[in-house]
Structure formats: structure tokens, C-alpha cells
């Protein structure tokens, strides 16, 4: 049995605990948060045997094999470096770190320690994205000319939502890290390497936040095509998540306008230039299970690969390598926003 210790009582408790529990051979043994009382209450409610009053104590516990870091991004580096020093396998939430410099240090540390490292880019598992990726790989629409991505929600539109770390840049808040990290990760899966970016980051909702809630980005891909991406979570009434890809022989459109089914409510359409017709490609729904939170279903797949990699003493994907790649692109987005120039991603 592989014993997991989770640092974080937010997404960590709601999604990672049931997600790891759904993986054969994994057991959630411990949990840590900043507030000892809150951590103890969460541990009791979720029946987790070992609540820890500090993240260091969780990592120090010799029974913990895997440390899963689900704290605000500002703390990821320090926690990962200590876990690697203690030779623990590490699973880290996205974004991997606050910058590519930090991410590089984390990758070097896990490599030196010889531990398995994974990152939670679980949007790779969206059924619609998996099918879209397969169609692009088969050159169904030929070479890609342009992509347009929009992820627009009103989840933080209200001015009544209290400020938290998610609104503070120095804590790792903002939609670049929370949402665009996923988008940048899947863009490279779908289209190959991103070469450069021109970006504008905006705090559109004026309520004292300093972390961006809206990102407009124009990427140049290594194959010469461009991708325009808009992400915001402060747009009242908005519920759009869509990826349009235009190629030499047609186009593919993956879209979801259903706020009640953000992960599995996607529909996929293929337009063929030859027939001048558009057809819907049916997407599978997940099998009926006792897990009702779709985030857990997506997370479980990434967790499963991670646990199997530990058992087989192999590498897993996505890993800190993918986390660093996304971090380099996000650094470039910030530099472009500040300088007003197009920035190369090396
Ligand atoms: N993959 C995804 O789709 C996804 C979705 C959501 C979140 N996330 C990621 O998960 C991470 C956490 O986000 P969240 O939404 O869970 O935030 P959250 O609800 O605010 O929870 C953060 C947790 O970290 C704890 N914490 C904060 N500072 C700490 C410290 N110095 N030492 C130990 N624990 C500390 C907090 O403890 P207290 O409550 O006691 O302060 C809380 O338990 C972020 O990296 C975020 O990007 C990923």
C-alpha cells in the first residue's frame, strides 16, 4: 500500500482525497493545513488517520510515501524541496511554482532524489480533449492554421466574493496560474511547441485584487500557426469553454456552454472543407459510478498513473518537466504584459 500525505484542506480534501482513494493500492494516511483545528476537523470528517499541525511534520512522518502539495503556489517550492530532501515521491498541484527559476530548482531536486514526480494537469483527461487530440494527430483537418481558445466564466464575477490568496499576485493568485496553466499545458499537447507570446493581463473587476482576472494572449506556434486565447473568470453570465482549430482541410470545434457540467458537457464538431459539411462527433460520458464530482473523475486518472509509476519505479506523465514547460510560457506571458512586446519561450 502506498501512503499519501496531502498538504491542503481545500481542493486537497474535496478532490484529491476521494481521487486517491479511488486508486487501487493508494491510501490517504495524513493531511496537513495551516490551521491545526481546521485540519483536525477535516481529518475527522473524512476519516483520515493522521492530521498534522504542520506540513513539515507530515513530510517527516516515515510512514508517508507520497507528499501531495495542494497549498497556494507560493509555498510549492519550499514544500517540494523539503519532500525531495526526505526522499518522498511528490505530486504537486498546478502551477508547479511561482516562476520558471523556482520550477527548475524543483525539477533538479526531484531528479537528484530519484523520486517519482507528478503534476495535476488533469484537464488532459477531459474526454473531448482526448478525442480532439487524436483527430489532430491523425491530421483529420491537415496542418493547423489557427486556433482560438476562450474560457470565460462568471465564477468570480460578483463583487461580494471576499478577497483571498487567489486575488494576490505574491501568493500565486490570478487566472494565469489557475486557468491558463491548464490551457498552456494542453495547447502544447494539441499543437506542439509554443514559440512566443504577446499578452495582456488585466484586473477587470475593481475590488482591490492585484492578481489578474482576465488574460488575452496571442501565441505563435512552432509550426508557424497562431493561437489566440482569452481567459477570464469575472464575466457575469459567461459560461464558455471552447477550442476551435482551423486546418488546411477543415476545422474542429470543441465547446461547452453548460455551467452545470463543466467537464463532461462538451460537444465536438468537425467541418470538412471537401464536403462543405459539419458533423458532430459523439463524446463518451463517464460510466456511472458513485463519484458525483466530475473533478474527482478527472483527477483520479492522473493519480492512477502516478501511483502505478511508483509501483513500477518508472516516470509518470504529466510530471515536473511539464510543469516547468508551462511555467516558462507563463513567465513569458508576464514579461510580454510588462514590456508590451512579443516574448520568445525558450
Ligand atoms: N487542478 C485543478 O484544477 C485545481 C483546482 C483547484 C485548486 N488547484 C490548486 O490547488 C492548490 C490549492 O488551492 P485550493 O483551491 O485548495 O486553495 P484553498 O482552498 O485556499 O486551500 C489551500 C490550503 O492550503 C493550506 N495552506 C495555506 N498556506 C499554507 C502553509 N503555509 N502551510 C500549510 N498549508 C497551507 C490552507 O490552510 P488553511 O485553510 O488552514 O489556511 C488550505 O488548507 C493551488 O495550487 C491551486 O492552483 C488546482
Amino acid at each position: 500500500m502506498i501512503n499519501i500525505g496531502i498538504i491542503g484542506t481545500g481542493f486537497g480534501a474535496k478532490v484529491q482525497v476521494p481521487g486517491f482513494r479511488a486508486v487501487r493500492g493508494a491510501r490517504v494516511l495524513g493531511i496537513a493545513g495551516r490551521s491545526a483545528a481546521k485540519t483536525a476537523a477535516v481529518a475527522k470528517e473524512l476519516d483520515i488517520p493522521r492530521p498534522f499541525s504542520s506540513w513539515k511534520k507530515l513530510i517527516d512522518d516515515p510512514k508517508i510515501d507520497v507528499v501531495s502539495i495542494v497549498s497556494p503556489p507560493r509555498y510549492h517550492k519550499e514544500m517540494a524541496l523539503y519532500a525531495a530532501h526526505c526522499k518522498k515521491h511528490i505530486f504537486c498541484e498546478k502551477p508547479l511554482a511561482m516562476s520558471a527559476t523556482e520550477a527548475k530548482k524543483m525539477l533538479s531536486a526531484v531528479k537528484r532524489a530519484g523520486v517519482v514526480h507528478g503534476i495535476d494537469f488533469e484537464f488532459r483527461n477531459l474526454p473531448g480533449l482526448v478525442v480532439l487530440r487524436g483527430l489532430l494527430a491523425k491530421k483529420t483537418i491537415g496542418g493547423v492554421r489557427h486556433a482560438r481558445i476562450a474560457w470565460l466564466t462568471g465564477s468570480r464575477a460578483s463583487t461580494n466574493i471576499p478577497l483571498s490568496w487567489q486575488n494576490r499576485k505574491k501568493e500565486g493568485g490570478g487566472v494565469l496560474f489557475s486557468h491558463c496553466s491548464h490551457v498552456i499545458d494542453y495547447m502544447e499537447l494539441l499543437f506542439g511547441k509554443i514559440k512566443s507570446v504577446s499578452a495582456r493581463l488585466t484586473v477587470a473587476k475593481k475590488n482591490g485584487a492585484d492578481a489578474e482576472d482576465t488574460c488575452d494572449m496571442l501565441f505563435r506556434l512552432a509550426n508557424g500557426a497562431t493561437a489566440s486565447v482569452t481567459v477570464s473568470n469575472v464575466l457575469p453570465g459567461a459560461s464558455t469553454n471552447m477550442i476551435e482549430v482551423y486546418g488546411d482541410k477543415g476545422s474542429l470545434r470543441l465547446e461547452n456552454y453548460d455551467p452545470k457540467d463543466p467537464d463532461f458537457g462538451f460537444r465536438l464538431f468537425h467541418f470538412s472543407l471537401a464536403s462543405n459539411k459539419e458533423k458532430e462527433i459523439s463524446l463518451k460520458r463517464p460510466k456511472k459510478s458513485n463519484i458525483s464530482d466530475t473533478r474527482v473523475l478527472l483527477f483520479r486518472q492522473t493519480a492512477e498513473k502516478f501511483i502505478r509509476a511508483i509501483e513500477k519505479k518508472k516516470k509518470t506523465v504529466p510530471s515536473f518537466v511539464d510543469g516547468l514547460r508551462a511555467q516558462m510560457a507563463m513567465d513569458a506571458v508576464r514579461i510580454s504584459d510588462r514590456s508590451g512586446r512579443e516574448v520568445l519561450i525558450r
Side-chain angles (χ1 to χ4, degrees):
M1 192 57 78
I2 293 169
N3 288 319
I4 322 280
I6 294 176
I7 305 174
T9 52
F11 190 78
K14 283 187 217 89
V15 174
Q16 289 212 3
V17 170
F20 274 122
R21 280 180 170 162
V23 177
R24 175 178 48 82
R27 173 167 68 157
V28 179
L29 183 67
I31 190 156
R34 198 167 35 175
S35 145
K38 184 172 162 192
T39 305
V42 169
K44 190 167 174 223
E45 187 197 331
L46 299 180
D47 202 14
I48 300 170
R50 301 187 185 189
F52 293 90
S53 55
S54 89
W55 60 266
K56 270 203 170 148
K57 285 185 186 155
L58 176 144
I59 296 174
D60 282 336
D61 185 327
K63 282 268 187 242
I64 297 283
D65 306 304
V66 169
V67 175
S68 186
I69 300 172
V70 204
S71 63
R74 177 186 170 180
Y75 307 104
H76 290 188
K77 184 193 83 176
E78 189 187 0
M79 291 168 178
L81 293 189
Y82 189 65
H85 167 76
C86 296
K87 303 268 187 242
K88 306 286 170 138
H89 303 295
I90 308 173
F91 190 83
C92 189
E93 264 307 332
K94 45 51 55 174
L96 184 58
M98 297 290 282
S99 65
T101 307
E102 284 194 6
K104 277 180 195 153
K105 284 187 186 148
M106 292 163 75
L107 179 59
S108 303
V110 288
K111 280 187 174 167
R112 238 186 349 262
V115 296
V116 176
H117 46 99
I119 183 163
D120 188 19
F121 282 136
E122 89 267 359
F123 280 30
R124 289 177 177 221
N125 307 325
L126 285 171
L129 203 103
V130 172
V131 176
L132 176 65
R133 188 179 169 193
L135 292 171
L136 290 173
K138 278 198 293 188
K139 297 274 176 216
T140 305
I141 57 166
V144 171
R145 293 179 179 172
H146 178 69
R148 196 165 75 96
I149 297 175
W151 189 3
L152 312 174
T153 79
S155 62
R156 291 189 160 256
S158 166
T159 40
N160 294 331
I161 301 171
L163 291 174
S164 72
W165 69 264
Q166 297 184 5
N167 306 103
R168 288 188 285 272
K169 242 200 258 183
K170 70 174 181 19
E171 300 274 335
V175 282
L176 178 63
F177 280 178
S178 64
H179 291 57
C180 303
S181 54
H182 284 297
V183 174
I184 288 167
D185 176 64
Y186 70 60
M187 276 179 64
E188 289 212 323
L189 276 188
L190 296 175
F191 312 129
K193 282 229 157 19
I194 300 170
K195 219 172 96 184
S196 68
V197 64
S198 307
R200 286 295 169 277
L201 304 180
T202 313
V203 185
K205 186 174 87 172
K206 312 287 182 226
N207 70 332
D210 72 352
E212 74 290 332
D213 51 39
T214 302
C215 301
D216 293 286
M217 300 169 287
L218 178 64
F219 292 97
R220 215 181 279 276
L221 308 175
N223 77 348
T226 51
S228 83
V229 180
T230 306
V231 177
S232 177
N233 63 356
V234 294
L235 307 179
S239 175
T240 296
N241 196 348
M242 64 102 174
I243 305 171
E244 290 175 347
V245 194
Y246 299 92
D248 298 327
K249 297 198 290 180
S251 58
L252 288 160
R253 195 171 85 246
L254 180 67
E255 62 186 25
N256 186 355
Y257 299 108
D258 184 354
K260 293 199 189 88
D261 198 4
D263 297 322
F264 295 100
F266 283 90
R267 295 177 71 187
L268 180 59
F269 299 89
H270 172 216
F271 172 82
S272 155
L273 201 51
S275 68
N276 200 29
K277 283 200 175 109
E278 184 174 80
K279 272 202 294 203
E280 181 163 7
I281 297 168
S282 71
L283 296 172
K284 276 193 196 134
R285 302 260 338 155
K287 285 189 203 127
K288 278 223 168 343
S289 81
N290 53 3
I291 299 172
S292 56
D293 186 336
T294 55
R295 297 173 305 169
V296 177
L297 295 172
L298 293 182
F299 172 78
R300 181 183 59 179
Q301 295 181 52
T302 307
E304 169 95 39
K305 279 165 89 181
F306 177 74
I307 296 296
R308 299 286 86 85
I310 293 173
E311 282 174 353
K312 293 183 183 145
K313 299 186 171 28
K314 286 193 169 156
K315 290 180 182 165
T316 190
V317 175
S319 73
F320 282 21
V321 174
D322 305 282
L324 169 59
R325 185 71 204 148
Q327 210 81 47
M328 287 161 70
M330 291 188 288
D331 274 10
V333 167
R334 288 208 193 281
I335 296 168
S336 172
D337 174 57
R338 281 198 302 267
S339 65
R341 288 209 297 268
E342 181 177 355
V343 176
L344 286 176
I345 302 162
R346 298 186 190 279

